């Protein structure tokens, strides 16, 4: 059946079963392949997007559960204040290794920074604990989030 979803500021009409995971719709229907499939069971974080500003695992989020909520994906996160800071810090710290997990990492980090401009180490660990990186980039991820947060401190 048709559903209208709002992604990155645009409305899309998609004709899929109601129990179709959002990740499938993003990648296979809308062709937005920046969001990655890892486990399909909410265990790795590779598929993280924002729904209503909250970091959400799109692999277990059915299309009929989203309603009119605004969604943001990795394709547009750089257009948000927190996302722009996170992406710059990622580049400055050369966080990425193979890159597969990084869309999800950036989405989780951006949601954290948007809701908590000066996160503590514990806040960072808590927000990022569900995002797995098989390349072990965790130290650089934490440093990049701290760098982005320092930018917040400078601007007040
Ligand atoms: S693919 Fe969604 S959490 Fe792993
Ligand atoms: S950069 Fe390779 S899995 Fe994270």
């Amino acid at each position: 059946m048709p559903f209208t979803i709002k992604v990155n500021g645009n409305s899309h009409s998609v004709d899929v079963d109601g129990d179709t995971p959002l990740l499938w719709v993003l990648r296979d229907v809308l062709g937005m392949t920046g969001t990655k499939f890892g486990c399909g069971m909410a265990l790795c974080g590779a598929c993280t997007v924002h729904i209503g500003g909250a970091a959400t695992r799109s692999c277990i989020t059915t299309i009929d559960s989203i309603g009119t909520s605004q969604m943001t994906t990795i394709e547009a996160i750089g257009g948000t204040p927190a996302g722009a800071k996170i992406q710059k810090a990622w580049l400055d710290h050369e966080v990425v290794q193979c890159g597969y997990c990084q869309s999800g990492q950036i989405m989780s980090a951006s949601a954290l920074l948007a809701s908590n401009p000066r996160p503590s180490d514990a806040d960072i660990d808590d927000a990022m604990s569900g995002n797995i990186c098989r390349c072990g980039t965790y130290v650089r991820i934490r440093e990049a989030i701290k760098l982005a947060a320092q930018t917040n401190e400078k601007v007040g």
Side-chain angles (χ1 to χ4, degrees), residues 96-102 133-135 137:
V96 176
Q97 197 159 321
C98 83
Y100 198 83
C101 73
Q102 296 292 325
C133 176
R134 296 196 62 160
C135 300
T137 63

Side-chain angles (χ1 to χ4, degrees), residues 23-24 36-48 56-60 130:
L23 178 59
W24 269 241
K36 302 304 183 191
F37 172 80
C39 64
M41 296 186 290
L43 298 173
C44 75
C47 67
T48 304
T56 304
R57 307 298 188 237
S58 63
C59 67
I60 58 159

Side-chain angles (χ1 to χ4, degrees), residues 88-149:
K88 182 177 186 314
W90 245 240
L91 291 172
D92 289 347
H93 266 293
E94 298 183 352
V95 169
V96 176
Q97 197 159 321
C98 83
Y100 198 83
C101 73
Q102 296 292 325
S103 297
Q105 304 281 5
I106 287 171
M107 296 307 287
S108 289
S110 299
L112 169 64
L113 207 64
S115 64
N116 182 355
R118 296 170 184 80
S120 66
D121 285 358
D123 293 334
I124 294 172
D125 290 347
D126 187 50
M128 303 304 294
S129 64
N131 286 82
I132 306 301
C133 176
R134 296 196 62 160
C135 300
T137 63
Y138 300 112
V139 173
R140 295 200 297 275
I141 286 171
R142 179 192 269 209
E143 291 307 309
I145 293 171
K146 287 183 176 180
L147 179 66

Side-chain angles (χ1 to χ4, degrees), residues 16-90:
V16 296
D17 292 339
D19 62 356
T20 305
L22 171 61
L23 178 59
W24 269 241
V25 174
L26 291 173
R27 291 182 57 85
D28 295 346
V29 180
L30 300 180
M32 301 172 70
T33 55
T35 305
K36 302 304 183 191
F37 172 80
C39 64
M41 296 186 290
L43 298 173
C44 75
C47 67
T48 304
V49 300
H50 295 181
I51 300 180
T56 304
R57 307 298 188 237
S58 63
C59 67
I60 58 159
T61 302
T62 58
I63 204 74
D64 64 3
S65 70
I66 296 167
T68 59
S69 298
Q70 294 280 354
M71 288 180 274
T72 306
T73 69
I74 188 67
E75 284 85 357
I77 196 63
T80 70
K85 289 176 184 174
I86 288 291
Q87 288 189 327
K88 182 177 186 314
W90 245 240

